[in-house]
Amino acid sequence: MTDDRTGYDVIVLGAGIAGLTAALSAVEHGLSVVLLEKTSAVGGSSVMSGGFFAFSGTDEQRAQGVGDSANAFLADLREVGAYRNDPALLRQYLDNQRDTYRWLKGHGARFPVIEISSGQSFARSHHTPIRTLISELADRFTAAGGTLLLEHRATELVRDEHGRVGAVIAETPLGPARFAARRGVVIASGGFSRSEELLSVFAPEQLAAIPYGGLGNTGDGFRMAWRLGAGMADMSAVCGTYGSHPDTGIEFHELLTAYYLGAIIVNNAGRRFVDESISYKSLGAACLAQPEGLGFQVFDAVVRARSHPGVPLNDIDMLEEIGHVYRAGTLEELADLAGIDPAGLVSTVERYNSAIAGGDPDDQGRSALVNGVGELVPVAEPPFYAYPAKTLMTTTYCGVTIDPYGRVLDVDGEVIPGLSAIGEVTGGFHGAAYMTGTSLGKGAVFGRIVAARLAAEDPAA
Ligand SMILES: Cc1cc2nc3c(=O)[nH]c(=O)nc-3n(C[C@H](O)[C@H](O)[C@H](O)COP(=O)(O)OP(=O)(O)OC[C@H]3O[C@@H](n4cnc5c(N)ncnc54)[C@H](O)[C@@H]3O)c2cc1C
């Protein structure tokens, strides 16, 4: 029935940051690796991402005088995750992040920009041009002897007579094939942001968000592991990210976080509805509940001047150039242009400015720009700007349970022999919400950990 392919040590499913890191590291450890990718290109959601990796204690932080530490990082991760994340996974990340940061720098990453972003109390988001990094990892993998097979969609995990996962059935351009591996199978197939079916089961309210993420991210790996009895974590925390123009397309990642620079967010009645300094995932949930699922980022010339051209999330210049930002000399004119109720906007801005001036408490309890850091600025200096934005279903950040070495655990917490999982398909790391940079970060960190473990394990055991 199937073409049989044997002789591999490891099969990796999915060529995003997690799969490429694991595959390349495994080859560097001397293993024979086949990397199966469902679509016709490598990259998945990783290549569409903002390219931010969360690390602490780096050369870039030191050079810019950022006094971050692993302890502060851990405290932020726990807080953002509402203490529902698995401390053992977080500790493993923190213990391995610096080696991974160096490994990435040695494999094509460079981090000229660091930013403070969602969930961070220090500038910890290290930005690298992500396309360059992804193609560098893929090139190095094949150059080192790894086998990369595009348009190979894994459909089934196969257990041997001892219950160990040692093979995969895949759909290939030449028909079904069976791949076998001595040391095991690593699922790195990403999340299910593109699966209407899984979203309707786990997060139906998110179906109103703009669908996004890698086109192959329909939860295949999650379902295959589920079929074998894998446990699940963080399934109730699925949430889109707030901040994308309603016309956002697959071609490029358009997302603005002007609210972390000082903008307010109002609905089309001109009313604020949330503390703008919280995680953009929580903002995503709040925005879905607004009329038309729409929230306008409203700001003035002072915030406009904080634009960071070329840096995703903060590039107001680019968004203005493509005509997605409204601009006017007065708030009333701005409201008319953008389709916001003028009287509502004017009174909201008055109340907001008065709270900053020390008059009344802020309507939404906002006291900082982002995550307790940064001084608020009034919306006062013309011209005024409005960026209409919705919630973008980029990622799911939940999935199969793993131990700190990336071994998949079943519903009873027992290891499923031979099966590993890394990256967005895994649950337990983020808990209730996500901190910027920790998904690319965890893909790379746990990718390397899994590769090192598989290399050290006795395949006969
Ligand atoms: C717009 C956007 C911006 C983001 N910005 C950031 C950021 O700046 N920092 C950050 O940390 N995170 C960010 N994220 C999240 C982050 O990019 C992802 O969570 C992360 O890249 C997931 O990596 P991964 O390797 O697990 O999955 P992916 O990169 O999605 O790769 C999974 C791969 O598996 C393939 N696949 C799926 N099913 C199968 C199958 N059955 N067989 C074989 N292959 C299969 C897919 O086609 C895909 O290529 C962003 C996400 C988006 C969409």
Side-chain angles (χ1 to χ4, degrees):
M1 146 284 191
T2 48
D3 174 12
D4 231 351
R5 320 260 186 101
T6 55
Y8 299 109
D9 290 312
V10 180
I11 305 166
V12 180
L13 310 181
I17 186 71
L20 284 166
T21 304
L24 175 54
S25 301
V27 166
E28 289 177 345
H29 281 287
L31 301 183
S32 148
V33 181
V34 61
L35 173 55
L36 306 183
E37 166 54 47
K38 168 182 175 176
T39 66
S40 57
V42 298
S45 287
S46 303
V47 86
M48 300 165 71
S49 78
F52 289 104
F53 286 77
F55 296 125
S56 65
T58 63
D59 301 340
E60 290 76 11
Q61 283 188 325
R62 259 190 299 281
Q64 294 183 35
V66 178
D68 199 5
S69 66
N71 281 344
F73 195 171
L74 178 61
D76 284 350
L77 282 166
R78 293 288 283 147
E79 195 181 330
V80 173
Y83 302 91
R84 279 157 46 189
N85 32 15
D86 179 350
L89 296 180
L90 301 182
R91 249 174 252 120
Q92 184 73 311
Y93 183 100
L94 292 164
D95 289 349
N96 287 274
Q97 51 147 353
R98 261 188 275 176
D99 285 349
T100 302
Y101 152 82
R102 279 191 213 100
W103 185 89
L104 286 169
K105 282 181 98 170
H107 290 74
R110 52 190 175 82
F111 298 113
V113 174
I114 57 173
E115 300 268 339
I116 185 164
S117 189
S118 185
Q120 303 176 349
S121 51
F122 290 95
R124 189 178 289 144
S125 296
H126 293 62
H127 179 253
T128 192
I130 191 71
R131 280 190 181 276
T132 313
L133 174 63
I134 290 292
S135 52
E136 181 89 4
L137 296 177
D139 289 350
R140 284 179 187 241
F141 171 64
T142 49
T147 305
L148 169 63
L149 298 175
L150 301 177
E151 295 180 351
H152 278 59
R153 173 175 176 251
T155 54
E156 189 185 337
L157 302 168
V158 183
R159 299 180 105 155
D160 65 17
E161 65 276 21
H162 308 293
R164 184 180 172 82
V165 177
V168 170
I169 308 292
E171 285 168 2
T172 84
L174 302 174
R178 181 181 180 278
F179 292 82
R182 288 179 285 269
R183 290 172 191 256
V185 176
V186 181
I187 302 175
S189 54
F192 55 84
S193 61
R194 291 282 180 179
S195 169
E196 248 186 74
E197 197 188 342
L198 290 175
L199 285 175
S200 354
V201 173
F202 294 105
E205 70 291 349
Q206 300 296 325
L207 291 168
I210 304 170
Y212 216 66
L215 289 174
N217 292 24
T218 51
D220 296 358
F222 171 67
R223 294 170 72 117
M224 284 186 273
W226 187 1
R227 230 174 273 143
L228 298 194
M232 298 179 195
D234 302 339
M235 305 310 294
S236 61
V238 175
C239 192
T241 300
Y242 168 72
S244 291
H245 191 275
D247 293 341
T248 299
I250 188 82
E251 312 75 38
F252 85 113
H253 174 212
E254 175 175 339
L255 193 120
L256 180 65
T257 58
Y259 39 94
Y260 293 153
L261 304 175
I264 56 170
I265 305 173
V266 300
N267 60 18
N268 56 18
R271 294 209 185 87
R272 288 173 66 219
F273 50 87
V274 69
D275 170 355
E276 294 88 346
S277 72
I278 63 175
S279 151
Y280 46 46
K281 289 278 173 192
S282 309
L283 293 176
C287 189
L288 281 177
Q290 300 309 306
E292 299 170 55
L294 205 51
F296 297 82
Q297 299 180 36
V298 172
F299 49 95
D300 69 355
V302 171
V303 170
R304 174 69 185 79
R306 295 177 177 176
S307 168
H308 203 152
V311 177
L313 313 191
N314 292 341
D315 192 347
I316 306 173
D317 291 70
M318 181 269 291
L319 296 175
E320 208 178 349
E321 264 163 41
I322 63 172
H324 283 179
V325 180
Y326 296 104
R327 173 189 151 136
T330 66
L331 286 170
E332 289 88 344
E333 284 164 13
L334 182 74
D336 275 339
L337 277 178
I340 306 169
D341 176 61
L345 180 63
V346 169
S347 100
T348 293
V349 169
E350 273 171 15
R351 278 203 308 283
Y352 182 71
N353 290 351
S354 140
I356 292 175
D360 308 307
D362 181 69
D363 284 353
Q364 301 295 333
R366 185 180 195 180
S367 61
L369 293 183
V370 52
N371 205 40
V373 180
E375 211 168 302
L376 297 179
V377 285
V379 185
E381 194 71 45
F384 298 103
Y385 300 84
Y387 176 74
K390 290 192 160 188
T391 299
L392 195 67
M393 177 29 71
T394 55
T395 37
T396 43
Y397 298 138
C398 62
V400 301
T401 44
I402 52 167
D403 74 5
Y405 296 92
R407 287 182 275 239
V408 176
L409 304 175
D410 70 13
V411 284
D412 298 319
E414 299 296 326
V415 168
I416 298 181
L419 189 61
S420 305
I422 47 175
E424 199 184 313
V425 69
T426 62
F429 182 86
H430 302 289
Y434 151 85
M435 175 199 292
T436 299
T438 51
S439 192
L440 291 175
K442 82 172 181 178
V445 165
F446 286 93
R448 291 183 70 246
I449 289 168
V450 160
R453 173 176 56 76
L454 290 172
E457 272 174 11
D458 176 359

